[in-house]
């Protein structure tokens, strides 16, 4: 399986937040790429772009055969800082382009006109293949779409069986924006949800696989579980082979427990 840019965002990626130990992070990235992951997610704020770059260099996968995304932190969103810090990110990652560059949050130094004009410039230069945003609500998406010349390719948001994000999902489908589901395991909470335990038993699968398969079966949705060790990286990869039936999906859609795991004080909601 080789990543084809025309297929959009590969459904399954590797998240790397808090994977900051150098050798460990590099090995997670190398192991995932060699196993067949076609999408790696990092950010300036994760303080690991250099280690992610090491993993990429150590893997046997060519740069053009996978999708690489990073994010510009909220302190770096003035026009010139976007340009300068993106250059620094590329240097650390050991590449001359990323497939997707996100605005990490619409917060602090974010100003739609100023920030996004720099994203347009990077897009026109070919330094970034696509423009992304993260943690944007519909009103921020509307403004971004008005201001940008380039299309808004993706919005990365928290999404899992305890936070289905139906409103954002509808907006994304209507506006041809892909959703990238972060914290897809609800940062570990999915292991204690009875409905997910039952579906996992039924398919002889893990609750992680059930959550990931539910996300990946949704139209327009990709996901980026964070896994450090080889066992978790493999477990999550096998979610690509799990097919949930309508009854499973309905049971997940009906879960009453709802909660958000990532909620900093600068969040826009
Ligand atoms: P997550 O993926 O929901 O959960 C990660 C946790 O689950 C880790 O403790 C991991 O342990 C464990 N895990 C992974 N696979 C497992 C498996 N198969 N069985 C048991 N445990 C498993 O949480 P997340 O890191 O918050 O979200 C994923 C990625 O989304 C991040 O890494 C980051 O790339 C992105 N993200 C973006 C934003 C944003 O603002 N844009 C915010 C949050 C996250 P090990 O590490 O030990 O494997």
């Amino acid at each position: 399986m080789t990543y084809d840019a025309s297929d959009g965002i590969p459904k399954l990626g590797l998240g790397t937040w808090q994977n900051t130990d150098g050798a460990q992070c590099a090995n997670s990235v190398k192991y995932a790429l060699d196993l067949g992951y076609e999408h790696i997610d990092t950010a300036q704020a994760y303080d690991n772009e250099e280690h992610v770059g090491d993993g990429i260099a150590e893997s046997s996968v060519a740069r053009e055969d996978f999708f690489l995304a990073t994010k510009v932190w909220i302190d770096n969103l003035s026009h010139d800082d976007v340009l300068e810090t993106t250059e620094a990110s590329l240097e650390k990652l050991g590449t001359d382009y990323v497939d997707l560059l996100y605005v990490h949050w619409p917060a602090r130094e974010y100003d739609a006109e100023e920030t996004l004009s720099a994203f347009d410039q990077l897009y026109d230069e070919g330094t970034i293949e696509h423009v992304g945003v993260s943690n944007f609500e519909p009103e921020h998406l509307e403004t971004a779409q008005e201001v940008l010349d380039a299309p808004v390719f993706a919005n990365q948001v928290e999404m899992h069986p305890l936070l289905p994000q139906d409103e954002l999902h509808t907006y994304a489908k209507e506006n041809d924006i892909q959703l990238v589901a972060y914290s897809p395991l609800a940062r570990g909470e999915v292991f204690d949800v009875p409905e997910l335990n039952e579906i996992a038993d039924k398919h002889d699968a893990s609750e992680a696989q059930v959550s990931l398969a539910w996300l990946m079966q949704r139209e327009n949705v990709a996901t980026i579980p964070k896994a450090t060790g080889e066992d978790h990286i493999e477990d999550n990869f096998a979610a690509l082979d799990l097919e949930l039936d309508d009854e499973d999906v309905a049971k997940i859609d009906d879960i009453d427990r709802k909660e958000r795991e990532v909620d900093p004080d600068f969040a826009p909601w």
Side-chain angles (χ1 to χ4, degrees):
M1 201 161 59
T2 300
Y3 159 64
D4 178 347
S6 62
D7 292 342
I9 303 185
K11 282 271 179 186
L12 183 71
L14 180 75
T16 62
W17 183 28
Q18 296 174 334
N19 193 346
T20 43
D21 175 86
Q24 172 67 75
C25 179
N27 192 62
S28 307
V29 170
K30 171 189 173 344
Y31 191 77
L33 287 172
D34 287 343
L35 189 65
Y37 279 67
E38 296 177 327
H39 175 177
I40 303 289
D41 182 84
T42 182
Q44 294 174 348
Y46 300 169
D47 208 16
N48 65 4
E49 288 175 308
E50 217 166 323
H51 312 318
V52 170
D54 289 343
I56 292 170
E58 288 162 21
S59 83
S60 56
V61 179
R63 175 65 193 87
E64 63 274 19
D65 288 337
F66 69 98
F67 187 97
L68 178 61
T70 192
K71 314 181 193 79
V72 182
W73 185 238
I74 59 177
D75 290 333
N76 300 334
L77 292 171
S78 73
H79 179 95
D80 289 353
D81 285 350
V82 169
L83 300 180
E84 277 166 33
T85 64
T86 299
E87 201 50 54
S89 290
L90 294 178
E91 179 92 6
K92 289 180 190 164
L93 289 164
T95 182
D96 52 11
Y97 74 100
V98 285
D99 297 275
L100 181 58
L101 185 72
Y102 296 99
V103 174
H104 205 146
W105 293 83
R108 210 165 296 168
E109 298 301 318
Y110 178 69
D111 173 89
E113 305 259 354
E114 178 166 347
T115 304
L116 298 175
S117 64
F119 276 67
D120 263 331
Q121 188 175 324
L122 291 166
Y123 179 82
D124 289 342
E125 290 167 6
T127 307
I128 65 175
E129 289 289 317
H130 301 287
V131 174
V133 296
S134 179
N135 298 299
F136 274 39
E137 297 281 289
E139 76 254 33
H140 307 105
L141 289 167
E142 265 170 42
T143 308
Q145 286 171 301
E146 277 163 26
V147 165
L148 272 167
D149 291 332
V152 178
F153 189 65
N155 185 21
Q156 184 179 126
V157 295
E158 180 173 341
M159 192 177 189
H160 45 70
L162 306 180
L163 191 68
Q165 300 276 28
D166 291 331
E167 189 193 345
L168 276 172
H169 189 214
T170 302
Y171 185 96
K173 282 186 290 183
E174 285 171 0
N175 286 271
D176 201 18
I177 296 172
Q178 303 195 56
L179 279 186
V180 178
Y182 78 63
S183 304
L185 310 181
R187 315 208 81 220
E189 293 302 317
V190 298
F191 297 100
D192 286 324
V193 178
E195 292 88 341
L196 299 176
N197 300 143
E198 280 166 34
I199 299 168
D201 281 350
K202 172 178 155 184
H203 291 279
D204 198 16
S206 68
E207 288 78 2
Q209 290 167 349
V210 171
S211 302
L212 298 172
W214 174 76
L215 285 163
M216 292 191 285
Q217 280 179 221
R218 296 185 101 184
E219 188 188 338
N220 247 28
V221 176
T223 189
I224 47 168
K226 179 250 188 176
T228 309
E230 297 175 0
D231 50 348
H232 287 170
I233 293 172
E234 281 180 26
D235 192 54
N236 297 341
F237 191 65
L240 285 167
D241 298 324
L242 174 62
E243 227 175 283
L244 301 178
D245 59 36
D246 292 347
E247 191 192 338
D248 304 327
V249 172
K251 191 179 273 193
I252 296 174
D253 290 342
D254 283 347
I255 293 174
D256 278 338
R257 182 176 158 193
K258 294 283 175 270
E259 62 192 45
R260 189 187 278 281
E261 310 299 334
V262 179
D263 197 9
D265 54 11
F266 52 74
W269 39 81

